[in-house]
Amino acid sequence: MAKNGIKTALLERGPFPGSKNMFGGSIYRIPTKKVFPAFWKEAPVERPVVTEKVFFTDTDSAVEMGFTGQRFAHPPYNSFTADRARFDPYLAAKAVQAGARLFTEATVRELIYRRTDLTAKTASGVILDDGSRLYGVATP
């Protein structure tokens, strides 16, 4: 959004982006490269993922389906594992570089709404835990 001239705010509850994450995750190349071309060459990704698995679960059973693609073990890869505490600061820095404003140690306590007609309302901002307010441009 910031790249396209839209005023953009990033709100992070911790002292830096990713500081509150307790796990990693998968970063998929195709959708991510649309915003950050060739990101895997500079981003703090851990390793390429060669096997993908999906589990369908019930209360006492599960079905597992998997797919292994050996081509995924070679550039440009399909997806990567990432430690979010390392990957999130990378993404936040890219957003700030594009013009976004980063607010750290900011927890949203409440949404601010504006009426769009007699029965509808649209979120137009947030109230942070310190009482400060950030407003956005609400569209009907």
Side-chain angles (χ1 to χ4, degrees), residues 20-60:
K20 296 292 185 178
N21 286 323
M22 301 298 290
F23 66 93
S26 291
I27 308 297
Y28 289 89
R29 176 184 53 87
I30 291 173
T32 307
K33 79 174 188 173
K34 289 180 181 178
V35 180
F36 307 108
F39 72 93
W40 61 91
K41 294 178 181 177
E42 66 177 23
V45 293
E46 304 296 314
R47 64 180 185 273
V49 174
V50 176
T51 301
E52 297 279 351
K53 293 185 180 183
V54 176
F55 293 85
F56 299 94
T57 61
D58 195 356
T59 55
D60 63 350

Side-chain angles (χ1 to χ4, degrees), residues 2-128:
K3 271 186 179 179
N4 290 309
I6 298 170
K7 289 185 179 181
T8 306
L10 300 175
L11 302 174
E12 169 61 50
R13 185 170 59 113
F16 63 88
S19 64
K20 296 292 185 178
N21 286 323
M22 301 298 290
F23 66 93
S26 291
I27 308 297
Y28 289 89
R29 176 184 53 87
I30 291 173
T32 307
K33 79 174 188 173
K34 289 180 181 178
V35 180
F36 307 108
F39 72 93
W40 61 91
K41 294 178 181 177
E42 66 177 23
V45 293
E46 304 296 314
R47 64 180 185 273
V49 174
V50 176
T51 301
E52 297 279 351
K53 293 185 180 183
V54 176
F55 293 85
F56 299 94
T57 61
D58 195 356
T59 55
D60 63 350
S61 60
V63 175
E64 174 186 342
M65 292 175 36
F67 174 79
T68 299
Q70 291 304 313
R71 71 180 179 275
F72 294 159
H74 305 285
Y77 309 110
N78 180 54
S79 64
F80 308 86
T81 59
D83 176 355
R84 295 282 309 275
R86 292 181 55 227
F87 192 76
D88 289 6
Y90 164 80
L91 283 181
K94 290 289 191 184
V96 168
Q97 194 175 51
R101 184 162 174 210
L102 174 63
F103 295 85
T104 57
E105 299 186 45
T107 303
V108 173
R109 293 291 178 207
E110 191 176 339
L111 293 176
I112 300 169
Y113 294 96
R114 76 171 178 90
R115 287 230 170 262
T116 55
D117 62 33
L118 290 175
T119 59
K121 60 184 180 179
T122 301
S124 62
V126 294
I127 300 173
L128 301 178

